[in-house]
Every structure is written in structure tokens, then in C-alpha cells.
Amino acid sequence: EIAAVVLNPYTLDPVDDIIPFNLLLKPENIDAIDFNALRIAGMTHDVIEKDKAIQKKEPLLNVMEMGVDRYMAADMFVDWFNAMGLADRKKLIPVAHNWVFDSIFIRRWLGNKTFELLFSPLYRDTLPISLFENDIRGYRGEEYLFAKNNLSYLCSTMHIERDRAHRALDDAVATAKVYKTILTHGYPRQINVTPDEDQQI
């Protein structure tokens, strides 16, 4: 699943008049699909059946029916980028969680040339940022700010609500909120990282 939300560079809030890009790619290698990941992402409801073949078939059919061909999807993404009317040679500056990992799939999907034309190498990444925050405290002999560094944990410690965790669009919006929260608390950071008691991590 691919999603991109354009942020206002001054407020880091989503830009209202640019519709986020969000679609599901049709899988090309069915054997490589992790069906448990589909269920975690909420792409299907659990099938209460003893037959494992039926359990695997139902989410696969959902993805195959909803998914867009990768080449058509790439053209749609380029059209979406062009519709923003950015100045010549301007690129998207990614704000992501674990961009190094995600960019591998995006580069494979778009191809190297298109990827380089659309994305700036000057990305922001909340994963290494959270690790850096911990390193600062470790160096000072203080307790780490984040016990874990995954997106769900960061959201819970910052009390950022999510509607559909592990879906691309929700993750994109949540990442922007995490990034903004870290930035707006200045330096040294004064983030309230106490999770709600009823919130599971």
C-alpha cells in the first residue's frame, strides 16, 4: 500500500487543497505475500474457518480485487506529483518512519530514474530521530526517552490517536504528527512520554 500526504512546510500539517495519494498495489508475486501482515493491517476480517486454504484465500482475493497494476499506479503517482505544479527540479522531501526500509520498495516500484526525479535525498526520518534522542540522554547518563522506537510506540507515548494503524495513509499522517511533536518541543526535548494506562503498546 502506498500513501503520501503533502505537508505545509511551516506548520507541518497536511495541505487541505492537495488530496493525499493512497492506493493498494496489486501483488505480482503471490507466493511472497505475508497473510498475517494483511490481517494486522486490517485489510481483511478474520475468516473463522478450520481450513487454512480458505483463511489464506480470502485476504488474497481482497488485495487482488482492490489492487492497482504497478505500472498504472506509478503513472498515477507521477500525475499526482505533476498536478502540484512545483517549480522545475523541485522534489518531494520525505518525512517518514524508517525511510531507508520503505524507500527500497518505492524505488523498486517507480524505478531508479523516476525515484530520483521525484524524491530528494534530504529526507527526515522519525526512527533515527528517536534513536538520536535516546543517544543524547544515554550520553548524559539519563534514562532513555523512548523504550521502543517503532511508530506505534512513538504515537502512544506522544498521545497521538490513530484510526487505522498499519495502513499506509494513517501511518503517513501519524508520522507527520510524531515529527511535528518532536520539533515543537524544542531542545532539550520535554516530551510527555507517559502512555495512557489503557493504551496497549
Side-chain angles (χ1 to χ4, degrees), residues 151-190:
L151 182 59
S152 293
Y153 184 84
L154 297 183
C155 287
S156 71
T157 59
M158 297 178 193
H159 306 289
I160 294 170
E161 296 183 4
R162 305 173 70 188
D163 295 326
R164 305 176 72 194
H166 305 295
R167 295 302 300 268
L169 185 57
D170 179 84
D171 284 356
V173 172
T175 300
K177 290 179 179 178
V178 166
Y179 184 64
K180 180 177 180 177
T181 299
I182 292 174
L183 287 182
T184 55
H185 282 75
Y187 184 85
R189 315 301 184 195
Q190 299 295 327

Side-chain angles (χ1 to χ4, degrees), residues 81-92:
F81 173 85
N82 289 334
M84 283 187 273
L86 299 179
D88 189 38
R89 296 186 183 179
K90 290 291 184 181
K91 300 180 181 183
L92 298 172

